[in-house]
Amino acid sequence: MPEGDTVYLAAQRLNTALRGQTIVGSDFRIPRYATVNLSGKVIREVRPAGKHLFFDLGDVSLHTHFKMQGSWHLYRRGERWRKPAYQARVILKTQPWDAVGFDLPVIELVTDPQAVVAHLGPDLLAQDFDLGEAVRRMTLDPDRSLGDCLLDQTVVAGLGNVYKSEVAFLAGLDPRTVVKRVPDVADVLQLARRMIRANRSTGSQITTGDTRRGRQRWVYGRAGSPCLRCGTRIAMERDGTERVTYWCPACQPEL
């Protein structure tokens, strides 16, 4: 699933190209909005909120969520698309650009975008990230695991499986450790914020500082491979959903 930095970068690129432009044509390829025409609306801003993305159009906003497979592409008018047309779910056209949303599982027009994300915890990528509130939310249930809390968007917004595993590794904590045993919750959250912010404009999720293939991440996606720090084989666990956790049994003792 795309994480907050991926959504942030998509919004940044779309906003740079489209902000202030008038929509000259739209095409919703989902039954709910099949007859909607956004022509004449001005794109005031494209912005992220955690893993959510909004096109602010004045009296209405287009809200999308990538979930596992969604993405937004930006093309010059007439440019060939890099994905097949049948995967397009919504198209916004301005004079120079086509913004195409592919395989988006969530597409809705809303009049109150804040209500859509009111349940989210503090956004790790936001300038006004509230560390105190994030700590409060994470410690509400001290018997939850650290990994579960990092993934819970109502605790902090933006993290997914990659950063959950990488943050836990760099904190030296087994992600299954319950929150009440985490020595400093604020330090873990600040680490998560630094990590995701470092990747927000790169299009990659490199946590080791090493761009070589197979060495870009400490544990995520490396099950059975030797730990880059101690050589112990990386462990992996699935919970029956799309959630997967990686950790080094030696570097990350369960407390």
Side-chain angles (χ1 to χ4, degrees), residues 76-255:
R76 289 286 182 180
R77 294 295 296 276
E79 183 181 355
R80 185 175 180 179
W81 295 356
R82 296 187 299 277
K83 285 194 170 187
Y86 71 83
Q87 293 181 358
R89 296 292 177 265
V90 58
I91 306 162
L92 301 179
K93 298 182 178 183
T94 68
Q95 202 59 47
W97 296 102
D98 288 342
V100 187
F102 291 101
D103 293 321
L104 294 168
V106 176
I107 300 172
E108 60 179 350
L109 294 170
V110 298
T111 56
D112 185 1
Q114 183 55 38
V116 176
V117 295
H119 66 290
L120 295 180
D123 187 343
L124 287 160
L125 285 167
Q127 290 292 336
D128 59 351
F129 173 69
D130 188 338
L131 176 62
E133 176 61 12
V135 170
R136 185 190 73 80
R137 291 185 180 222
M138 183 168 279
T139 54
L140 282 175
D141 183 355
D143 291 316
R144 286 187 77 186
S145 73
L146 172 64
D148 282 349
C149 285
L150 290 175
L151 281 184
D152 188 341
Q153 302 301 293
T154 69
V155 175
V156 285
L159 300 180
N161 288 318
V162 174
Y163 286 116
K164 171 193 68 176
S165 295
E166 296 296 291
V167 167
F169 176 83
L170 288 175
L173 296 168
D174 187 310
R176 301 167 298 176
T177 300
V178 294
V179 169
K180 66 185 176 185
R181 297 189 182 278
V182 173
D184 194 326
V185 170
D187 275 357
V188 173
L189 289 169
Q190 288 175 315
L191 171 62
R193 177 166 161 79
R194 290 195 302 271
M195 189 181 297
I196 196 169
R197 282 176 62 84
N199 285 298
R200 70 189 187 277
S201 298
T202 66
S204 59
Q205 294 168 326
I206 297 173
T207 60
T208 61
D210 191 334
T211 60
R212 290 176 292 175
R213 186 175 180 179
R215 301 184 68 87
Q216 297 171 329
R217 297 169 184 164
W218 292 103
V219 291
Y220 185 85
R222 302 190 66 251
S225 298
C227 174
L228 297 176
R229 181 176 288 167
C230 75
T232 301
R233 294 201 177 275
I234 300 300
M236 180 190 75
E237 181 178 84
R238 293 185 183 274
D239 70 355
T241 67
E242 72 274 9
R243 293 184 173 184
V244 60
T245 303
Y246 297 84
W247 73 99
C248 173
C251 294
Q252 298 169 261
E254 187 171 8
L255 301 181

